[in-house]
C-alpha cells in the first residue's frame, strides 16, 4: 500500500493541463468551465429535428441549464410548445405557418446562448464582508419568474453575481397580471428558502 504505483501510461495531472498551451476548458453535459478565467458557459449543438411538437420538445430539452442562466432562450420555446398543445396538435403533426416562423426565429437565437458566460464562483476575489442576497421577481402576460443575485462590496464599489434564475410559462386560464406577479413572488421566495 505504501509503495508508489508502477510506471506506465497515466493521465496528465491538473498542473500539467493548466501549464500546457492547449485550451483549459472542461466540458460536462453541454456546460463548459473555462479554468483560466473561472467562468461557466454553454456549448450548444442543435440537432435537426422535425417541425412538430416532438421536434420542438427535443430541441428545448437538449439544453442543460440547471441554474437557469439560459432560461430566457428556453422559455420562448416552452411558450410555443404550450400554444401547440392547446391547439390540440398531435406529437408528429406539422405546425402552423405562423408558429413555424416564430419557432425558426427562436431557433436562430438559441446558438447565442454559447456567447453567454458567468462567473463560476459567486464570491469575487476582492470581496469585502458578507454579501447581500437580492431577489427580483415579476409576472407578465404569459410568463413569471424570479432571479437571485449576490451583491458584494468590493474596493471600487459594488458588484453583483448571478446565482440562479427560475421562470415558468403561465397557465393559459390565468389572465390576471396581479396573480402572475404573485406567482413570480412565490418563485422568488422559493429561491430564497431553497
Amino acid at each position: 500500500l505504501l509503495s508508489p504505483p508502477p510506471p506506465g501510461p497515466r493521465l496528465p495531472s491538473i498542473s500539467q493541463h493548466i501549464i500546457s498551451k492547449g485550451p483549459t476548458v472542461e466540458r460536462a453535459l453541454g456546460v463548459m468551465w473555462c479554468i483560466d478565467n473561472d467562468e461557466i458557459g454553454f456549448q450548444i449543438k442543435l440537432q435537426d429535428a422535425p417541425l412538430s411538437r416532438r421536434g420542438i420538445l427535443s430541441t428545448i430539452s437538449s439544453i442543460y441549464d440547471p441554474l437557469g442562466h439560459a432560461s430566457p432562450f428556453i422559455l420562448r420555446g416552452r411558450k410555443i410548445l404550450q400554444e401547440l398543445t392547446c391547439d390540440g396538435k398531435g406529437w408528429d403533426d406539422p405546425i402552423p405557418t405562423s408558429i413555424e416562423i416564430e419557432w425558426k426565429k427562436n431557433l436562430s437565437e438559441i446558438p447565442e446562448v454559447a456567447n453567454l458566460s458567468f462567473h463560476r464562483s459567486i464570491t469575487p476575489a476582492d470581496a469585502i464582508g458578507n454579501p447581500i442576497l437580492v431577489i427580483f421577481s415579476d409576472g407578465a402576460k404569459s410568463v413569471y419568474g424570479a432571479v437571485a443575485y449576490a451583491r458584494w462590496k468590493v474596493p471600487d464599489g459594488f458588484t453583483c453575481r448571478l446565482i440562479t434564475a427560475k421562470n415558468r410559462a403561465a397557465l393559459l386560464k390565468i389572465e390576471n397580471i396581479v396573480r402572475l406577479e404573485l406567482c413570480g413572488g412565490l418563485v422568488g421566495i422559493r429561491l430564497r428558502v431553497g
Side-chain angles (χ1 to χ4, degrees):
L1 284 173
L2 299 176
S3 63
R10 296 184 187 167
L11 293 174
S13 68
I14 294 292
S15 60
Q16 289 172 340
H17 181 67
I18 291 174
I19 293 171
S20 72
K21 295 183 188 216
T24 52
V25 175
E26 292 293 325
R27 293 177 178 90
L29 299 173
V31 179
M32 299 183 322
W33 171 38
C34 182
I35 297 170
D36 295 334
N37 55 6
D38 199 24
E39 290 185 345
I40 292 176
F42 296 93
Q43 181 181 15
I44 304 296
K45 290 183 181 176
L46 295 177
Q47 305 288 331
D48 286 334
L51 291 174
S52 63
R53 278 179 56 197
R54 188 181 312 277
I56 293 172
L57 179 62
S58 173
T59 302
I60 294 169
S61 300
S62 69
I63 302 171
Y64 182 69
D65 182 29
L67 296 176
H69 292 124
S71 59
F73 293 91
I74 298 169
L75 185 62
R76 285 189 226 148
R78 281 196 213 142
K79 286 302 296 175
I80 291 170
L81 193 60
Q82 186 181 44
E83 284 179 43
L84 290 171
T85 303
C86 290
D87 288 346
K89 295 291 180 189
W91 283 104
D92 296 313
D93 293 345
I95 61 176
T97 308
S98 60
I99 294 179
E100 180 180 342
I101 292 168
E102 186 180 349
W103 172 245
K104 285 184 177 179
K105 181 178 181 259
N106 183 50
L107 197 59
S108 68
E109 293 173 358
I110 287 178
E112 294 297 318
V113 174
N115 296 332
L116 299 176
S117 64
F118 302 92
H119 295 283
R120 182 188 61 85
S121 172
I122 61 169
T123 306
D126 56 351
I128 301 169
N130 293 323
I132 297 172
L133 178 64
V134 180
I135 297 176
F136 295 103
S137 65
D138 198 9
K141 182 179 173 184
S142 59
V143 296
Y144 61 91
V147 62
Y149 290 90
R151 181 177 180 257
W152 292 90
K153 177 143 180 61
V154 292
D156 59 341
F158 293 92
T159 187
C160 291
R161 297 280 176 96
L162 178 63
I163 300 171
T164 188
K166 300 285 182 194
N167 60 29
R168 305 281 183 265
L171 298 174
L172 295 177
K173 63 182 178 181
I174 299 176
E175 295 181 11
N176 188 345
I177 300 242
V178 174
R179 178 168 278 197
L180 293 174
E181 288 178 350
L182 286 171
C183 289
L186 179 63
V187 171
I189 290 170
R190 288 179 177 160
L191 286 180
R192 167 68 174 94
V193 175

